[in-house]
Amino acid sequence: MKNFVVKTIANAAALAVAVWLLDKITLTGGSTGKKVGTLIVVALLFGLVNFLVKPVVKVLTFPLFILTLGLITLVVNALMLLLTSWLADKFDVSFHVEGFWTAVLGGLIISVVSWAMNMVLPDDKD
């Protein structure tokens, strides 16, 4: 359970950095508290998408992974971010990613920040 909370916090922080750096990834809301709540909900959606959909996509794109020497991972991460944006729209959560190339750059930022956050935050394997 603690590992789930740590990963959600890391995803929320990574999403916050992507929203802060890229103008075309938007998170709207009135107060700071609402924005933090929205970030947590989006982080949960993003985690769910990465848990359920990403493994299937990785298996289906395995030949492309070998062919591109792993660069297809950027496209897969972008598609997961776009899917999260679409789901957020369906659940009326104020998070939006505008365009594929923004999603590619956002996915790259989220991957780097999430990796750094997971290195810093405690990881309880019990």
Side-chain angles (χ1 to χ4, degrees):
M1 182 68 175
K2 187 176 178 182
N3 193 24
F4 173 75
V5 173
V6 168
K7 287 192 179 297
T8 302
I9 291 170
N11 276 341
L15 285 162
V17 171
V19 167
W20 180 60
L21 288 176
L22 300 173
D23 292 336
K24 292 185 178 183
I25 297 179
T26 56
L27 177 75
T28 55
S31 65
T32 303
K34 280 189 173 185
K35 286 183 180 179
V36 169
T38 302
L39 269 175
I40 297 295
V41 170
V42 172
L44 289 170
L45 278 174
F46 191 63
L48 189 65
V49 165
N50 281 332
F51 180 73
L52 296 175
V53 178
K54 193 172 184 178
V56 174
V57 173
K58 278 185 150 182
V59 167
L60 294 175
T61 60
F62 185 70
L64 288 174
F65 183 81
I66 293 172
L67 186 65
T68 64
L69 301 175
L71 289 177
I72 192 71
T73 304
L74 293 172
V75 174
V76 170
N77 288 342
L79 293 175
M80 297 304 109
L81 189 57
L82 285 171
L83 181 59
T84 302
S85 175
W86 180 79
L87 284 172
D89 184 46
K90 294 299 176 193
F91 288 115
D92 200 28
V93 177
S94 58
F95 175 78
H96 182 68
V97 178
E98 186 180 321
F100 176 75
W101 292 110
T102 302
V104 169
L105 191 54
L108 183 62
I109 291 169
I110 290 168
S111 295
V112 169
V113 173
S114 181
W115 171 80
M117 291 292 293
N118 282 316
M119 295 298 287
V120 172
L121 292 173
D123 188 19
D124 188 20
K125 301 249 190 233
D126 297 332

